């Protein structure tokens, strides 16, 4: 195979978040599928194919490929009689192939869950907060504990809410059962650095994607998924301790404590690592 990069290529983009680039090539019409396999990979072996790396940047890989006739006038087929089996052909001519590269960071945090080889997780976070009104009649004045505190005195405690977004990419068998079972639950153990009971699994979004390239044995290429998980951390730091979603402020004696109904808290807990294990 012989390809030629077009003048004006590559084009590179640098931001605080990532590196992106695109390269344009002249590709013989007859070699377009082999070029696609070379650049994007083989769908039949998803765990081994994450795209061709950008020269000098191992973590910037080909994520998308677009091909179009370089000379539309070189079309070699008249009216199409069967749209399912016929394509216009351009034998002896060239296509313009545009390869899009993006940075793929597999280790954006050291405490992310383990996932199968060939898939990876990206991490983002954002900050919000809620305000809780606390009755303070059982509190004491710091400069004079003997001074009475008004029975109707209230204060506002601002509690940070951190949104953690984990996006699992190139997922072959999403864990649908675990997603359904764990939505609305809290972390039973420390997860991405959040103490037990402080992290709420809000839910997930799934995007079905056709896997890069063709299969090697003419069988249909598999689909993969991109799963976006949203977790919300509520860590109430008080009296040298950390309280979570199941804790509420009690006026007398003042402090944070879980409320129970029939011995059970408001939120159940679960193992969030199951969200990153493929469905059996």
């Amino acid at each position: 195979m012989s390809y030629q990069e077009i003048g004006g290529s590559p084009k590179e983009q640098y931001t605080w978040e990532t590196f992106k680039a695109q390269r344009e090539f002249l590709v013989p019409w007859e070699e377009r599928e082999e070029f696609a396999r070379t650049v994007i990979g083989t769908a039949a072996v998803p765990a081994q194919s994450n795209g061709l790396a950008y020269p000098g940047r191992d973590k910037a890989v080909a994520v998308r490929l677009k091909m179009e006739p370089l000379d539309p006038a070189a079309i070699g087929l008249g009216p199409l009689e069967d749209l399912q089996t016929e394509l216009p052909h351009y034998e002896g001519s060239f296509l313009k192939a545009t390869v899009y590269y993006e940075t793929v960071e597999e280790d954006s945090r050291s405490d992310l869950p383990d996932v199968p080889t060939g898939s990876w997780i990206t991490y983002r976070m954002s900050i919000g907060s809620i305000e809780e009104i606390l009755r303070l009649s059982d509190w004491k004045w710091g400069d004079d504990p003997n001074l009475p505190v008004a029975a109707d005195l209230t204060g506002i405690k601002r509690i940070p809410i951190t949104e953690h977004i984990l996006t699992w990419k190139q997922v072959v068998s999403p864990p649908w059962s675990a997603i359904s079972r764990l939505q609305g639950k809290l972390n039973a153990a420390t997860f991405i650095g959040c103490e037990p009971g402080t992290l709420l699994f809000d839910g997930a979004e799934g995007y079905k994607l056709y896997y890069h390239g063709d299969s090697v044995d003419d069988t249909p290429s598999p689909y993969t998924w991109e799963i976006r998980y949203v977790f919300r951390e509520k860590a109430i730091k008080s009296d040298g301790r950390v309280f979570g979603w199941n804790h509420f402020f009690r006026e007398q004696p003042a402090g944070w404590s879980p409320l129970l109904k029939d011995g059970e808290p408001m939120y159940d807990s679960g193992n969030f690592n199951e969200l990153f294990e493929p469905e059996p």
Side-chain angles (χ1 to χ4, degrees):
M1 296 179 293
S2 59
Y3 313 119
Q4 181 177 339
E5 193 151 3
I6 298 174
S9 171
K11 301 178 178 68
E12 298 181 344
Q13 178 182 346
Y14 298 83
T15 69
W16 67 268
E17 183 181 38
T18 188
F19 168 85
K20 295 183 179 181
Q22 65 183 65
R23 302 172 71 188
E24 295 179 340
F25 298 88
L26 291 180
V27 178
W29 166 265
E30 294 82 0
E31 298 179 9
R32 68 191 188 279
E33 292 185 3
E34 186 63 29
F35 180 81
R37 282 192 288 268
T38 299
V39 172
I40 299 298
T42 302
V45 195
Q48 299 176 7
S49 254
N50 288 324
L52 189 69
Y54 190 82
R57 289 181 172 268
D58 292 341
K59 291 188 176 181
V61 298
V63 296
R64 187 159 58 95
L65 170 63
K66 181 177 72 173
M67 291 192 185
E68 54 190 317
L70 184 66
D71 179 11
I75 187 170
L77 186 67
L80 298 175
E81 297 182 0
D82 189 340
L83 298 181
Q84 183 167 309
T85 61
E86 294 181 88
L87 277 177
H89 63 80
Y90 295 84
E91 272 81 2
S93 67
F94 289 90
L95 298 175
K96 182 176 76 171
T98 304
V99 183
Y100 299 87
Y101 296 84
E102 292 185 13
T103 302
V104 175
E105 291 286 352
E106 297 189 23
D107 298 312
S108 53
R109 285 187 59 155
S110 61
D111 56 358
L112 295 178
D114 293 329
V115 293
T117 302
S119 65
W120 66 92
I121 300 173
T122 61
Y123 172 80
R124 294 288 181 273
M125 66 182 294
S126 62
I127 301 296
S129 65
I130 58 175
E131 293 182 344
E132 291 202 15
I133 299 177
L134 311 181
R135 295 187 60 85
L136 305 177
S137 59
D138 196 44
W139 290 51
K140 303 293 183 183
W141 295 111
D143 61 340
D144 189 349
N146 295 317
L147 287 177
V149 176
D152 58 353
L153 181 65
T154 60
I156 296 177
K157 184 175 180 67
R158 190 176 180 87
I159 301 173
I161 301 292
T162 303
E163 183 179 79
H164 301 269
I165 300 173
L166 275 61
T167 303
W168 186 15
K169 299 188 177 185
Q170 299 287 61
V171 184
V172 176
S173 300
W176 303 120
S177 299
I179 291 172
S180 176
R181 184 176 65 256
L182 292 170
Q183 186 174 18
K185 291 187 178 183
L186 306 178
N187 57 322
T190 300
F191 186 79
I192 57 170
C194 300
E195 296 197 24
T198 63
L199 197 64
L200 173 69
F201 175 40
D202 225 14
E205 295 178 342
Y207 305 92
K208 193 174 186 180
L209 307 172
Y210 194 66
Y211 194 79
H212 303 320
D214 296 327
S215 61
V216 293
D217 56 2
D218 294 327
T219 57
S221 298
Y223 285 92
T224 62
W225 291 79
E226 180 175 301
I227 309 295
R228 179 178 178 268
Y229 292 118
V230 178
F231 303 89
R232 300 188 192 279
E233 180 187 8
K234 180 182 180 183
I236 307 166
K237 299 175 177 66
S238 178
D239 196 27
R241 299 172 61 192
V242 178
F243 305 95
W245 288 92
N246 275 325
H247 289 81
F248 300 88
F249 186 76
R250 180 180 57 208
E251 181 183 357
Q252 294 182 349
W256 298 88
S257 180
L259 278 174
L260 305 177
K261 179 175 174 56
D262 298 328
E264 297 296 329
M266 182 173 293
Y267 294 97
D268 290 338
S269 298
N271 179 7
F272 287 173
N273 286 306
E274 295 177 7
L275 295 170
F276 298 89
E277 298 172 359
E279 191 99 304

